[in-house]
Amino acid sequence: MANRVWPKLVGIAAVITALQLPLFYHYNRLLGSSVNAVDNITVSPAQEQAEQKEIAALKKQYRFVTVSADGQYVAYLDSKNVLHVMDLASRQELCAANNPYTVQYVEWIEDERLFVGEQVQPGDLELKTVDVPSGVQTIVTRFEGLPADASFTKITFSTYTNDIYILINSGTSSSLYHIGTMSNVSLVPTGGRYIKNIAITQTGSKLYFEDYADGSFNVLSLDDQGTIRLIKRDAALVAVVGNTLYYGDINSQGLVTAVYRYNAATGASTLVKTLAAPTLAANIEITDSGAVQVNAPT
């Protein structure tokens, strides 16, 4: 599949490099400035509880309900393929973006923009950003010549380097793409692995990913020289906080039984928490302080 997509991507990337330089400089301002920003927002327990109830209510009614990094805004997709962004404190809508194609993926870029992945047609996907609060949409790149069932699976990015990794899956195959600091799009060689999840370190020097091979789920790393290393077999990628990887031991049902912190410098792992009950990795959250939080299934 990579051989089929690559020639088209070369041409696409050349066009994108010229057209997306303004977008790159916006990322540089947006992502770079947000790293050192001080969050002075204070939320009372009562307000936080009300906002959590609002988010839960939205999840019952809409798709792709996702909250911004600072917790101020929530985005959701309605039945007419319109992406709404609402201020959680005031319950006021900030913007609404009409999407011409079927939305497959929504992810916040800090607090000012969202990634939106769409299926133009089977085998033809488009990635764009939506600005908040203007609602202005900007095309980032387009992936053509993919299998008919290809879809956006995960997007991860570094706020320090502006590196973006895009995972697209179809059936039993995966394609991993990288958008670098000059908006160049490249297909990342992964040895034909089927990849379930990806997460980049804050400094962008390492990508961690979970694959499925030979009957087991495994956690691996990919450095900026393209070297892939196995971290742990029979494990699930839970999260990357800062530059630290958190992964889970899994049982025969693929559920996480314990969460570990990985030290990339020494290659050693430390037990963080043994879970009271086996849980899907998707239901586990790691706080900024490194604590393990198990959320109710959504």
Side-chain angles (χ1 to χ4, degrees):
M1 180 174 66
N3 292 334
R4 296 199 304 271
V5 177
W6 180 246
K8 295 184 178 181
L9 278 176
V10 171
I12 295 169
V15 175
I16 293 166
T17 301
L19 297 181
Q20 296 301 326
L21 280 176
L23 177 62
F24 161 68
Y25 289 114
H26 176 85
Y27 282 150
N28 210 29
R29 177 189 65 79
L30 170 61
L31 301 183
S33 62
S34 65
V35 169
N36 299 314
V38 178
D39 189 357
N40 295 317
I41 300 169
T42 302
V43 179
S44 68
Q47 181 180 341
E48 183 176 2
Q49 185 177 21
E51 290 177 357
Q52 290 302 316
K53 288 181 65 177
E54 180 69 24
I55 293 168
L58 289 171
K59 287 182 176 180
K60 291 180 179 179
Q61 187 174 359
Y62 301 106
R63 300 177 64 212
F64 300 114
V65 177
T66 179
V67 181
S68 62
D70 63 1
Q72 289 190 79
Y73 313 127
V74 61
Y76 59 91
L77 188 77
D78 69 17
S79 59
K80 296 182 179 179
N81 216 40
V82 177
L83 184 70
H84 301 265
V85 178
M86 182 179 71
D87 185 297
L88 277 168
S90 66
R91 304 295 194 273
Q92 295 296 311
E93 184 169 277
L94 297 177
C95 64
N98 292 291
N99 301 283
Y101 311 117
T102 301
V103 174
Q104 294 183 329
Y105 189 89
V106 176
E107 174 75 17
W108 278 95
I109 310 172
E110 293 299 302
D111 314 316
E112 297 183 33
R113 279 195 169 196
L114 294 123
F115 280 125
V116 177
E118 295 179 294
Q119 183 190 58
V120 179
Q121 59 185 6
D124 182 355
L125 307 181
E126 185 172 273
L127 178 64
K128 67 183 181 185
T129 60
V130 174
D131 186 74
V132 177
S134 70
V136 172
Q137 303 178 47
T138 303
I139 296 174
V140 177
T141 189
R142 191 159 170 173
F143 304 95
E144 299 178 278
L146 299 169
D149 62 342
S151 64
F152 288 98
T153 302
K154 181 73 178 288
I155 298 174
T156 184
F157 56 90
S158 166
T159 57
Y160 277 79
T161 65
N162 304 312
D163 286 285
I164 304 168
Y165 284 90
I166 303 152
L167 176 62
I168 295 176
N169 281 346
S170 55
T172 57
S173 64
S174 299
S175 296
L176 180 64
Y177 301 96
H178 174 234
I179 301 179
T181 55
M182 293 306 294
S183 298
N184 294 315
V185 182
S186 61
L187 182 65
V188 180
T190 58
R193 290 175 168 83
Y194 180 74
I195 301 174
K196 291 184 73 273
N197 194 7
I198 57 174
I200 194 173
T201 55
Q202 189 174 42
T203 56
S205 60
K206 197 178 296 287
L207 180 79
Y208 291 104
F209 65 94
E210 178 187 340
D211 79 349
Y212 181 76
D214 299 324
S216 70
F217 296 95
N218 315 286
V219 175
L220 306 97
S221 67
L222 171 71
D223 63 25
D224 49 14
Q225 281 77 48
T227 303
I228 296 175
R229 299 184 188 280
L230 175 68
I231 304 298
K232 183 71 167 61
R233 293 191 186 280
D234 296 316
L237 172 61
V238 173
V240 171
V241 178
N243 286 327
T244 303
L245 165 69
Y246 292 83
Y247 69 84
D249 271 348
I250 59 174
N251 60 19
S252 58
Q253 284 75 48
L255 302 177
V256 175
T257 58
V259 176
Y260 289 81
R261 180 188 299 112
Y262 176 71
N263 186 324
T266 65
S269 298
T270 304
L271 176 65
V272 179
K273 185 176 183 178
T274 299
L275 304 185
T279 306
L280 285 171
N283 297 332
I284 302 172
E285 182 179 346
I286 308 297
T287 67
D288 290 342
S289 62
V292 177
Q293 177 179 312
V294 179
N295 301 320
T298 56

